[in-house]
Amino acid sequence: WQGIELGGVLVRDRDGHATLHGLQAKWLWSPSRDEGCNAASSVGVVHPRHPTHNTLALTLIGTCATPWGALHANLGALRMPERHWATAWGFAVERAFGPVTVHAEAFGQRGSAPTFQTGARWEWAPQWQVDGSIGRQQGRTLLSAGIRRGF
């Protein structure tokens, strides 16, 4: 199980009153480093509360760590409930302050406005993390909370 991370997320659109929950598995192709780059891939599924159709996400992930923080770039594909595929992208920067890591990110998919958000992650026990974010997309406020277990 080394190099595998399992995660779950709960997302709430405060303006549209929509709730999503999802699961993700991530595989590190190369070990994480304090300085240098590594690659990973992930597969995940997001399920809205209403209607009851899932979105499948396949993602390639590149990360470069530096003494001041880490940069992430993602490129992926989403299998939408309407049965078509859409390209997805993401960029993030993060910096650790002891057990807490703060981040800012932008992500989106083809045909939709990008989402911008910021948040923090806390490693409360070895290999266990919880996180929270607040973001904006086209004037809507999004809140998210997640938990992750690394192996």
Side-chain angles (χ1 to χ4, degrees):
W1 287 83
Q2 187 162 353
I4 295 178
E5 296 175 0
L6 301 176
V9 66
L10 178 68
V11 178
R12 177 75 173 161
D13 176 347
R14 290 184 32 91
D15 301 318
H17 304 289
T19 301
L20 305 172
H21 52 274
L23 297 172
Q24 179 183 30
K26 179 179 172 183
W27 294 272
L28 295 175
W29 297 356
S30 55
S32 294
R33 303 175 190 174
D34 291 336
E35 290 190 35
C37 299
N38 68 310
S41 59
S42 70
V43 61
V45 64
V46 175
H47 180 78
R49 187 170 175 198
H50 301 287
T52 57
H53 299 289
N54 296 331
T55 297
L56 174 68
L58 304 172
T59 309
L60 299 174
I61 305 160
T63 297
C64 290
T66 70
W68 56 265
L71 299 172
H72 306 280
N74 302 343
L75 183 61
L78 303 172
R79 172 81 166 166
M80 308 304 283
E82 301 83 22
R83 305 277 190 249
H84 71 274
W85 288 90
T87 55
W89 57 272
F91 297 98
V93 60
E94 65 181 26
R95 182 174 174 113
F97 297 96
V100 175
T101 300
V102 296
H103 71 270
E105 60 187 352
F107 56 91
Q109 68 190 49
R110 185 177 180 185
S112 295
T115 299
F116 301 94
Q117 67 183 29
T118 188
R121 181 175 67 240
W122 174 46
E123 187 169 353
W124 56 277
Q127 302 297 321
W128 283 95
Q129 294 179 350
V130 294
D131 65 73
S133 296
I134 185 168
R136 299 284 287 171
Q137 182 192 40
Q138 287 188 316
R140 295 187 343 244
T141 300
L142 306 170
L143 302 174
S144 69
I147 187 166
R148 185 184 79 161
R149 168 74 164 118
F151 296 93

